[in-house]
Amino acid sequence: MPASATDFTTADLPDGRIFVAGAFREGRGAEIESRFPADGSLNRVMREAGPEDLDEAMIAAQKAAADPTWRDLLPHRRADYLYRISQGIAANADRIAYIQSRDTGKTIRETHALALSAAGTFRYFAAALETMEEAITPSRGPWMTLSRYEPIGVVAAITPWNSPIASDAQKVAPALAAGNAVILKPATWSPLVGLEFARIVTESGLPTGLLSVLPGGGQTIGDRLVSHPAIGRISFTGGTKVGHAIASKAAQRLVPVSLELGGKSPTIVFPDADIDQALAGILYGMFSSSGQSCIAGSRLFIHRSIYNEFLMRLVAATKALKVGHPFDPDTQVAPLIHPAHVAGVARWVDIARAEGGRVLAGGMAPDGEAYKGGYYYLPTIVDGVDNTATICREEVFGPVLVAMPFDNEDDVIFMSNDNQYGLACGVWSRDLGRAMAVGKAITTGTVWINTYKQFSISTPFGADKESGFGREKGLEGLRAYMRQKSYYISDSGVKIPWALSAMDASS
């Protein structure tokens, strides 16, 4: 459990200086603000990174990545650094939780869990380094053949505003474990968590230049970062439109890239489901994080035979969710990140109404003194539309669920796949054979059966279609930050036959 948020004040927030090649200093970019989404109060005014800051970070990163003391460091010695970072994050979990709640508006319970998850990510990749094996492959001639994994060099890691500490760790930990240097660009709406992360990494003793943290906008820092000739790999989590632009820039230089983008994940309830279990999972899968989650189960398909009864119970439970201050331990749905985002969510709901949708719960900001100045939006359920409606096609990225009936497996599989996204899905049924078959038929990166929104750092996570490509987490997530190189070693004294006659003629 997190310590009380009252143990901290805004004096405990990072002072807003960016982190360039081992040193904190004022950024040379535009002025940006971090505000507390619960009441709109100011956290920090700071300057984002400017092009000069990026240039200096890149020079230091190239030097640090090429330094044999890091590049050639034995894996179990690199693991020592990751273990210390893990311990530093865990020791500062309460402080990180406070900072992230102030920065993003998430509940203190959730941000504390995210901090511990980030610590676990570093611990996992440290352990992976202790045990990672390379392969001696079957020989096809008088030589030994082996496959090795080597560092790429400098990696660009671009993380979103909704879960910064967890996203930071999922990119930085494997990149460092692989022997690279990392330029981390947090989102401008949540710049403070990454700077606290930089402080903890610095205290671990990580060599200077291996990490820089440069909050900044896509046009000022992001474009320049992904286009930099020294970047050997790009990892991006964020919006689909930006992902397309990054993929295009990466393709021009043939730089490998991984993208985790948007989602419009289907959740399917069959008549034989454990109804209470399904209700709880759907509420959590949609409305935790205030719906600001790429894997949120935002399209709900309920079998027609139970549609009305299930939806009635779901609407009642949704209206009973506690919408409140992120520091209140009873809060289930906290404010959204930014007033512009609230306006965007409201606009999608208005479009649903205009297309014939019925708003059964929510559909507005809450009223009352407790919500004054905050960026709140009530958990919302819409029905009365079909799978072609705009609300079913576009990612809202807020607490808005759309419910639809289905008649049979073929029907629901078709509707689930009839969407541009392919990030996740959920299936609720006591018939595990059927649930597995439905999950297999849906084009998606993750399938949850009789649960939702559960993760393991040891299990790869990724997407299909417009939701992106590439995988994070697991051993695949580590090797994604490495170059695979094959070696052929001959010690047999056997000469290559093709050249023997020419050699005889020359002797």
Side-chain angles (χ1 to χ4, degrees), residues 458-477:
S458 62
T459 304
F461 176 78
D464 288 293
K465 300 195 291 189
E466 290 287 297
S467 291
F469 53 80
R471 293 296 182 266
E472 291 188 335
K473 303 184 180 182
L475 293 179
E476 290 88 345

Side-chain angles (χ1 to χ4, degrees), residues 264 298-301 382-383 385 391-392 400-404:
K264 199 70 184 177
S298 53
R299 285 187 299 152
L300 174 61
F301 297 105
V382 176
D383 89 331
V385 295
I391 197 70
C392 298
V400 179
L401 173 68
V402 57
M404 293 165 283

Side-chain angles (χ1 to χ4, degrees), residues 85-292:
I85 295 170
S86 172
Q87 292 170 338
I89 294 173
N92 288 273
D94 290 342
R95 178 187 175 95
I96 293 169
Y98 172 78
I99 293 169
Q100 186 164 352
S101 289
R102 290 283 318 192
D103 218 11
T104 67
K106 284 178 175 283
T107 67
I108 196 76
R109 184 185 296 272
E110 181 177 354
T111 55
H112 190 265
L114 290 170
L116 295 181
S117 172
T121 296
F122 274 91
R123 187 171 60 249
Y124 170 82
F125 284 111
L129 285 178
E130 296 276 11
T131 57
M132 184 175 65
E133 297 179 350
E134 295 173 314
I136 296 178
T137 56
S139 178
R140 305 285 289 186
W143 48 75
M144 179 174 66
T145 55
L146 57 122
S147 178
R148 302 200 65 186
Y149 291 90
E150 301 175 358
I152 290 173
V154 183
V155 169
I158 303 174
T159 55
W161 47 259
N162 60 324
S163 296
I165 190 67
S167 296
D168 296 347
Q170 287 170 21
K171 299 181 189 303
V172 175
L176 291 177
N180 302 297
V182 187
I183 309 293
L184 172 64
K185 192 202 85 65
T188 53
W189 279 359
S190 57
L192 300 181
V193 184
L195 300 178
E196 175 66 8
F197 172 60
R199 180 188 69 81
I200 293 169
V201 170
T202 300
E203 292 178 355
S204 75
L206 188 74
T208 299
L210 288 174
L211 177 69
S212 290
V213 180
L214 308 179
Q219 294 182 339
T220 54
I221 291 297
D223 287 349
R224 191 179 181 93
L225 177 60
V226 299
S227 301
H228 199 287
I231 291 295
R233 190 182 191 283
I234 302 165
S235 180
F236 171 76
T237 299
T240 300
K241 182 178 180 180
V242 177
H244 273 271
I246 289 174
S248 177
K249 291 179 184 295
Q252 293 171 20
R253 296 197 298 114
L254 297 181
V255 172
V257 59
S258 62
L259 303 171
E260 185 206 326
L261 309 176
K264 199 70 184 177
S265 300
T267 303
I268 302 163
V269 184
F270 285 97
D272 66 340
D274 181 320
I275 299 302
D276 288 341
Q277 184 184 30
L279 284 167
I282 290 164
L283 288 168
Y284 175 70
M286 182 62 244
F287 297 123
S288 63
S289 305
S290 303
Q292 298 171 123

